[in-house]
Structures are given as structure tokens and as C-alpha cells.
Amino acid sequence: MAGLAGQHVAPSPDLFAEMVAGTSLCMFVTGAYEDGLPLVWVNDAFTAKTGLTAGVAAPPPVPGRASLGPLEHVLVEPSDAALAAPALASGEGGTFTMQCLRADGATYWSHVTFTPRRDVLGTVTHFLGTSVDVSAYVDERSAQLQTLAVERRQRADLDLIAQTTELLGDLEYPYALRDIAELLRSVVPWAAFYLNDDGLLHADGIDMAAPPGGRGRRHARYVGGSDADPLDPAPSAHGARETVDAVQDLLDGLVDGPVLLRLDVEYAPYSASGWLRRDLVRRVLDETGVRPGSVVVHAVGGRRQVLGLLVTWNGDEAGAGATTASVLSEPDDVRTVVEVVARRAGTAIDNARLYAREHHLAEALQRAMLPEQADVTGLDVWTYYAPNAEHAQVGGDWYDVLDIDGSTVGLVIGDVVGHDVEAAAAMGQLRSVVRSYAYELTTPSVVLDRVDMLVQGMRIPRSASLVYATLRRRAPEESDVPGEVSADESWDMEYTRAGHLPPLLLRGGTVRQLDGGGGSLVGFGFVERRTTTEVLYPGDVLLFYTDGLIERRDRSLKVGLEALVETSARITARDAAGVGEELLSRLADAPEDDVAIVVVRLPDPVADATTPSLSPRSRRWLLPSEPASIGRARHAVLRSCQAWGLPESASAELVVSELVANGVLHGWGHISLRLFDTGDGLRIEVEDANPAPPVTTDGHPNRVGGFGMQIVERLADWGWRPAGSGKLVWAKIK
């Protein structure tokens, strides 16, 4: 036996036949393909598995279809024969996965391998077949594929929802809802949004001007009758009319939805269901070429009520006999995605309209409360207010220039804590109170004492700081001393402060803080306030401001005040607007808070005529939309041309008068006026909130006027461009 170690001894044919017959592997031998693959031998395992024995007859052949002979008995799908037949016919054999029948009638998956046997001439005379049960593998693979498909579908759904959220994040994009509906067409054949704004309307985007609640005009509810709808493009084949307005029930919140809207029946002519059916039939037919049979309608809900509808079509055609059960039995994942998109769209629409409403309210408050500067004889006054855009154009800063009588001027600047609508409302109340007492009383400290008392009783929720000052022209007196400043060229100033930053007095290149008359914030005055006096002379400049001019995140208020004093000492302008422009250009190019400034300068005819001005060659004003602003604009141009030494003052005065007049007559909101010395002429820019461009006309028929832009065209080159929500008109004096 030791001598036989390592030698290979071929088994005898009897031993091989015994082992093959007794193996648990299903094996069989067939004849040639041309002979019909007759079963000439099977082992016990194959018979036990399939119930087939050697010599079993093949089922009757089906014309035009490939056959595997007797093996057809075990195929669940006879069409599987087409997979193996070409390889067997060519004599190549191969391995094929087939679903087979067990002897007990159960099914299983099998890997069937056909190995050809050839004679000495190379002709295939037999096939040796083996069958391996791979049901467990196929089931596991199928489960993995299903899981993978679910995961892919979930990722696609999450991606769709993410894209929807991104589209809804841009409130000003006019086609957000249209693009979302197109995204949904990856899970449903067709989708569209309808918003209930003055009745149902197909919506591509969010109408920001609609009310926040979204409810517009209600459609009529059907109360009876059977007249056919004359506007119906597809009358019911059954001649029946639906008496339940499911769409209106959804809009009214009586049902949660979704609801089925069948499009092959009639509805009342002016009902929500009837209108929606007419629009959908036309729209889906135009876009897909198919007349829809029914749609599923989901509610697009806001905080308090339904804002509109999200309509999806499942692809059925009219006349298919769809039922509520069949249409609403859409896959759970599809229905979930559509409902999530509808909810997010509703929230976004509600938020967008609520934001728009608050923004319009803030703008209305800002327009109503922005101070109106009075023109004061004998004083050069420039005022400016720049709200921080991050705060929705509304805040608590304010100023007033009050022409109390012919010889007394009231100056107020204040700041209410906060940058919201409540701060603006508190500012408006406080401004009215100060104005009332300013016209009644004369001494600043007495005015603020009265304001304290009233504010405490009104319970204004926000604290505020302010400076109130009065300027009185000195009574004229005769003087025999040559060169002495006469009394009628100087002014007496009285002021008091309520927790506000001190005004600055600029005189002869020096700057002094007027820090007298200090006291607590408005509404916290428990001690009698004090009044401080100053005498102002020609050439003096008073600067009133709020903390937005100097406050920055990277420095303290004290450091900012020091920077303001240093900057003010270097100012070379000889007019109030020039002083303000220098301050803004150096300190407030990018303000982090609202900025309010009042600059008052006592003109000095002698020094102004002999000393050159080196101030910035630009000026800006914010004017209320009222006729008095036309005169202020003319005055502003004259003073700027005088300060810059420009000779075109007469033409510039006429041009700016026409441009500002157009803004007052045809625009709305406040008017922004800017002047630029370009080196080769004067450029004028007037901006208002009306986006409509100016038009040159031949005058108004049968009435005076209408030649304004013709005058501008004769005197200047001009043009316009959109700016913000309105327009900017510019003119350059020729």
C-alpha cells in the first residue's frame, strides 16, 4: 500500500455511476437538441426534486417558440426556454438561471448547467445537466436590490425636497412654484400649483402682494340645478353633475385631503371644482396631449388656513373609469413626498407674504415718520437719515427742524432703542410729543420736563435719548464800530440733553463738545432738567448726530466720538451740505446702525467769498414727496454751485426743479437728490420709488404743463436706470 502513495487511480465506471446516482446534486442526461432533448437518464436527487423520470414525454410544442423538450415540465415561465435554446442548438451549452417547479408544486430558483458530449466527429450527441438550487441567493439578492431601490428612491425624494426648500428660499424668484412642479414630475407624470388669491389661479411663483392669509374671493358653492356648463370643454359622457364641491371643502379646511377630482363629470359652473376642472383639462391636454381622467388635489396650508392647492395627475386618461380608491392608492413614498412639498410650499408662501406685509408696514412707517425739514431764513441747514438696510429700512432714529416762529428755530435729534416696528412706533409717539411741547414752550429744559411726565403716563415701551435745542436770532442793534459783528448776524442757542451724545460746535478750525445740560433718558427724568446756553456767530457749524455715525463693533463709543471730533476739525467745506458729505464719506460709508445727522451753519458772507472750499465734490439730500421739496432742491443746487464755483447755476436750478417736480407729481416715497461736480460739469441724480421711466411729451392736452422733460432735454444730457424698487433719473448740465 505504501508503494501506491501519490499515484492517481482512475475510478471504475461502476464506481463513478454509483457515486453520480447517489449524489444530492440534481443531475440528468439528455439527447441531442435536434432530437428534442429527451431525458435519457436522471439521478434520484433530480427525480425527488422535480418529479421527472427518464423517458418522460415532452409537452406538445408551441409553434414559433423554442422548446427544451421534457424539461419544459419544470419551467414556471416557458419563455425561459428561449434563454437556453440558442446555446443548446449551437452545441455550446452554458449555465442559465431559471425558475422551476418542485415535485410538490412549490417554486424555486435553479442554476442549470448544460455540458455537451461530442463523438469522434465532433457532433453533440448528449448533454450532461446539473441543477443547483439558488433560491436563497436569489431571494437575498432580490432583497438587496429592493433595499437599494428604496434607498435610491429615498435619496431622490430627499434631494427633491432639498431642491424644493432651496427654491422656496429665494422669495423674489418669480418661477419658484413652476420649478417645484417640474421637480415633482420625477415622481408623478404632471403637477401644478394653484393659489387662492381672489379665486383660484394657476401659479408659477409667489405673489408677494397677496394678503398673508391667502384667502381671496370665494368661488360659488353649488346649491342645486342641472344646467350644463357652457364653458365646459369636455361634457360628461354620462350627463351627470357632481353636487359635492370637494375642492372648496379643501380650501375651507373642512377636509384634510388629499381629495380626488374626477374630470369626466360636470360641476357647477362657478364652483371651485368646476373652475379647476376646466383649467386642468385644457392645461394637461396642452402639455401632455392626453385628456386626463382624474387628479389628486392636495392642500397647500398656511398657519391659519389653506392658501392654495397642489394638483398631481397619475397619468390616467378620461374614460378609464378611475375610482377614488384606485387614484388615491398611490405609493406611500410618492404621497409622502407630495404632502411634504405642499406643506413646505404653504409655510414658505405664508412666511413670504407675512414678511412682505411687515416690510411694507415698516416702509409706510418710515415714510410717515421721516422728518420734514423746515427752511429757516438766515441759516444753512442740512439733514440726512440713512437707515441700515439690514433692519428693513425702519428704526428709532429721528430728527426735526422746526420753524417755531419768525425768529426761533427748534432742533431735535433722538434715538429710540431697537430697529423694529415697535421702535419706529415708539419714535413716532415721542416725536409727536416733543413737537407739541416745542411749539407751546420756549425753554428746552421745560420742554423735556413736560415730555418726561407725559411719556411716563403713556408707558412707551422703549427708552430713548435726545437733544433738544432752540436757536433765536438776536435782536438788531446799532453799532458804530467798523468791522464789529452786528447782533442780527448772531444767534442765541439753548439746549438740553436726555442721555444723548453731545452736539459739536465747529468754530475756526476747532471743535468743542457741547456736553452741558445733561440728564437721564427720556421717561426717566426724576430731577429737574437744566438748560445750557451758547452764542453762535457767522461761520459756526452745529453738528447733531446719532450713535450710528460713530459706533462700530471693533471700537468703543468713546473712541468713535474722538474720531468724530478729529474728523470734524479737518472739515474745509463752506456749506452745511458739504460738511455733512465730508462726515458721511469719512465715517459712514458702511454704517452698522441707522445714521441721523443735522448740520446747521451760520453763513459768513465775507469768509465764504474769499476762502476756497476743498470739500468733496458731491452732495446728497433725502426730500419728502411734497411740493416744498422742489424749492429746497433749487436752494440746494444754488448753494452747491456757489460752494464749487460752478457757473451753470441757473440751468442747474431749472433742471433740478423739473426732475424733483416729476418725482413729487408722479413718484412716491421720499426723493433722493444727489449732485456731483464731475470736473467738466454738474451731474444731477434724482431717485424715487416709481419704477416707470420719465417720458418726453408735447404737453398735456387741454391743460397747462407737460413740457418738463423737454426743458431738461434742452439744457442737459439725461437718462435713467432702474434703482432698487424704483428709478434714478440723471442729467448732466451741458
Side-chain angles (χ1 to χ4, degrees), residues 220-227 241-245 267-269 271:
R221 276 197 174 276
Y222 178 67
V223 295
S226 59
D227 295 336
R241 167 167 289 174
E242 179 62 57
T243 60
V244 176
D245 193 350
Y267 299 90
S271 65

Side-chain angles (χ1 to χ4, degrees), residues 297-311:
V297 185
H298 298 259
V300 177
R303 287 179 176 83
R304 298 183 178 179
Q305 56 196 30
V306 176
L307 307 178
L309 307 171
L310 174 53
V311 181

Side-chain angles (χ1 to χ4, degrees), residues 59 61 86 95 166 222 257 270 286 377 406 443 456 479 499 528 585 666 695 716:
T95 302
E166 183 177 355
Y222 178 67
Y270 303 106
D286 289 344
T377 303
T443 305
Q456 291 178 32
S479 174
E528 186 176 353
S585 62
H666 307 296
V695 178

Side-chain angles (χ1 to χ4, degrees), residues 224 243 534 613:
T243 60
E534 288 284 342
S613 175

